[in-house]
């Protein structure tokens, strides 16, 4: 995600924006700043807490047409993203929320809508992005007609008639298409590598050791002398370290998740890195298994609150200490927050 976003005068003078309360205006600017390159952003408990905003503020943005909600109420789409931001092809990175983007359509003013029957819709968002995100189209009529034909084909059940939009109509270059193909191949390879790593973890055992609550870990081969995947040795407080970490053997051996769960885990890594000001990789299998197990028990917002609580109580930590802190204490922190 880019470190900088543009705020245009047209936005600041838009009556929909001017009519908002000051805290809702600030929230919208924050959403713009944290959105990915397709204008999709996940609601952050940290931002809500800092700005002291709630559902009412998000509803105001939705009612004014500035954001589009998703069925997952934590995900928001910036309606006018493509008018407010110009992102070069060579630095553009597509969203990780592909399922959300697949439900969006492009209007002739380049804004998003979820209504495919809007008379101004000329393409699906996926097709428009695949074809280079052009914003210099001079004649929308052929594209609108093509979209209507495709829609009629879907309604009639004749999916064989549904065709992709013509690249010639967009006057885009082949390089952007090749980049998308390359990015997809890299994504597929990464997924394959991650599956291999997950399989390899079945040959590793972890033992936590520390006199201050388990802030370190040792890796042992699977044929070591310990009797279980996670050693039954306790910390000085006498608590079983494997269960404290919120990670079980089933989660490790069967670590295959659906796309929605993968997105939730990626979001938790974002929250973790923001809370502790680090950049731990989403490829970290130990943390991924921890988050996956916790998501089976708690809503994602509770886990994010637990990360914030840990960061506030721990203060500044290096990457290694942050990982150990989260692995050893996040589960108990979430539990304690729910009982308060």
């Amino acid at each position: 995600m880019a470190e900088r976003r543009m705020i245009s005068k047209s936005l600041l003078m838009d009556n929909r924006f001017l009519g908002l309360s000051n805290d809702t205006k600030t929230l919208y600017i924050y959403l713009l700043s944290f959105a990915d390159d397709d204008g999709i952003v996940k609601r952050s408990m940290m931002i809500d807490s800092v700005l002291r905003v709630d559902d009412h503020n998000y509803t105001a943005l939705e009612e004014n047409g500035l954001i589009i909600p998703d069925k997952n109420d934590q995900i928001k789409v910036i309606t006018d993203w493509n008018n407010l931001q110009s992102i070069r092809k060579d630095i553009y990175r597509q969203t990780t929320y592909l399922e959300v983007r697949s439900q969006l359509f492009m209007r002739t003013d380049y804004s998003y809508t979820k209504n495919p029957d809007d008379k101004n819709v000329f393409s699906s968002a996926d097709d428009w992005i695949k074809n280079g995100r052009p914003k210099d189209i001079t004649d929308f009529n052929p594209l609108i007609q093509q979209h209507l034909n495709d829609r009629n084909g879907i309604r009639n059940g004749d999916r064989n008639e549904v065709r992709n939009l013509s690249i010639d109509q967009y006057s885009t270059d082949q390089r952007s298409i090749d980049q998308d193909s390359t990015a997809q191949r890299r994504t597929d390879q990464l997924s394959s590598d991650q599956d291999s790593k997950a399989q390899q973890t079945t040959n590793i055992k972890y033992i936590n050791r520390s006199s201050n609550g388990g802030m370190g870990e040792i890796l042992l081969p699977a044929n070591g002398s310990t009797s279980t995947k996670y050693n039954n040795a306790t910390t000085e407080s006498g608590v079983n370290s494997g269960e404290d970490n919120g990670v079980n053997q089933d989660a490790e051996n069967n670590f295959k998740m659906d796309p929605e769960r993968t997105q939730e885990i990626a979001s938790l890594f974002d929250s973790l890195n923001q809370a502790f000001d680090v950049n731990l990789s989403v490829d970290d299998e130990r943390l991924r298994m921890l988050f996956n197990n916790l998501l089976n028990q708690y809503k994602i917002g509770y886990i994010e609150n637990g990360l914030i609580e840990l960061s506030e109580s721990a203060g500044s930590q290096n990457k290694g200490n942050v990982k150990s802190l989260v692995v050893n204490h996040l589960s108990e922190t979430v539990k304690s927050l729910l009982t308060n």
Side-chain angles (χ1 to χ4, degrees):
M1 187 178 71
E3 292 296 323
R4 296 177 178 86
R5 296 302 187 195
M6 294 180 288
I7 304 295
S8 67
K9 290 182 180 178
S10 61
L11 166 64
L12 299 179
M13 296 304 295
D14 190 318
N15 286 336
R16 295 176 301 169
F17 181 79
L18 290 173
L20 299 171
S21 63
N22 287 337
D23 54 351
T24 305
K25 288 177 186 172
T26 305
L27 171 62
Y28 184 63
I29 291 174
Y30 264 76
L31 294 178
L32 279 176
S33 300
F34 282 91
D36 61 30
D37 287 357
D38 285 325
I40 302 174
V41 59
K42 183 177 183 301
R43 183 172 176 176
S44 167
M45 301 291 288
M46 268 202 322
I47 291 177
D48 288 2
S49 176
V50 169
L51 300 182
R52 297 182 180 179
V53 297
D54 53 27
D55 291 344
H56 170 78
N57 301 96
Y58 285 91
T59 300
L61 292 175
E62 293 170 12
E63 291 176 346
N64 281 275
L66 293 173
I67 63 173
I68 300 172
D70 183 64
K71 61 183 179 181
N72 176 351
D73 63 3
Q74 298 297 307
I75 308 299
K76 311 297 179 184
V77 179
I78 308 297
T79 308
D80 296 309
W81 175 259
N82 297 299
N83 289 318
L84 298 173
Q85 307 296 323
S86 295
I87 303 173
R88 300 198 320 265
K89 293 178 182 178
D90 59 326
I91 62 173
Y92 164 78
R93 296 292 180 270
Q94 73 172 348
T95 184
T96 58
Y97 300 105
L98 296 178
E99 183 180 354
V100 175
R101 196 182 73 183
S102 69
Q103 302 170 32
L104 301 175
F105 295 86
M106 300 300 303
R107 303 179 75 252
T108 53
D109 60 357
Y110 302 108
S111 64
Y112 289 129
T113 180
K114 276 193 170 183
N115 180 13
D117 297 319
D118 186 309
K119 66 179 182 179
N120 291 313
V121 166
F122 69 89
S123 168
S124 69
D126 281 348
D127 281 341
W128 180 73
I129 291 168
K130 179 182 68 177
N131 288 295
R133 302 177 297 124
K135 291 194 280 188
D136 57 353
I137 303 171
T138 56
D139 186 4
F140 287 99
N141 290 327
L143 301 176
I144 292 174
Q145 188 58 51
Q146 178 66 59
H147 172 73
L148 291 174
N149 292 341
D150 291 348
R151 290 291 298 161
N152 288 332
I154 293 174
R155 290 192 185 98
N156 295 332
D158 188 3
R159 295 181 180 272
N160 292 328
E161 293 296 321
V162 179
R163 303 186 303 276
N164 289 329
L165 294 171
S166 169
I167 294 176
D168 292 337
Q169 290 173 311
Y170 283 103
S171 66
T172 120
D173 57 38
Q174 184 64 36
R175 182 178 63 180
S176 65
I177 300 170
D178 292 341
Q179 288 174 342
D180 285 343
S181 299
T182 300
Q184 184 60 49
R185 288 196 297 272
R186 289 175 178 171
T187 300
D188 293 341
Q189 182 62 44
L190 177 60
S191 176
S192 176
D193 292 343
Q194 289 173 347
D195 285 344
S196 298
K197 290 178 180 178
Q199 181 63 35
Q200 292 169 1
T201 58
T202 60
N203 296 321
I204 295 175
K205 296 177 182 178
Y206 291 83
I207 299 177
N208 291 319
R209 66 175 185 182
S210 174
S211 61
N212 62 353
M215 292 294 290
E217 56 186 30
I218 308 173
L219 299 179
L220 292 179
N223 58 2
S225 60
T226 52
S227 61
T228 61
K229 177 73 66 179
Y230 296 96
N231 187 34
N232 289 328
T234 61
T235 63
E236 288 189 357
S237 61
V239 181
N240 182 289
S241 61
E243 293 187 5
D244 257 3
N245 296 342
V247 181
N248 57 44
Q249 187 168 355
D250 290 338
E252 183 179 11
N253 292 336
N254 302 306
F255 194 61
K256 292 183 179 179
M257 298 173 296
D258 57 31
E260 184 174 351
R261 175 56 61 87
T262 300
Q263 290 179 4
E264 289 179 330
I265 289 177
S267 297
L268 286 175
F269 270 92
D270 288 341
S271 299
L272 166 64
N273 288 330
Q274 290 180 26
F276 287 94
D277 193 22
V278 294
N279 59 342
L280 291 168
S281 171
V282 73
D283 295 334
D284 190 304
E285 294 294 342
R286 185 77 167 129
L287 289 174
R288 285 170 63 87
M289 286 189 291
L290 169 64
F291 289 149
N292 183 52
N293 185 271
L294 289 176
L295 285 167
N296 290 332
Q297 306 173 60
Y298 309 107
K299 291 183 179 180
I300 188 171
Y302 297 146
I303 304 173
E304 289 176 328
N305 283 339
L307 289 169
I308 295 172
E309 180 74 15
L310 272 180
S311 69
E312 291 176 347
S313 61
S316 178
Q317 300 280 341
N318 60 39
K319 288 184 182 179
N321 286 345
V322 166
K323 178 180 175 181
S324 296
L325 180 69
V326 172
V327 165
N328 290 310
H329 300 288
L330 179 55
S331 180
E332 289 302 320
T333 300
V334 175
K335 289 180 186 177
S336 67
L337 288 175
L338 294 178
T339 57
N340 289 337

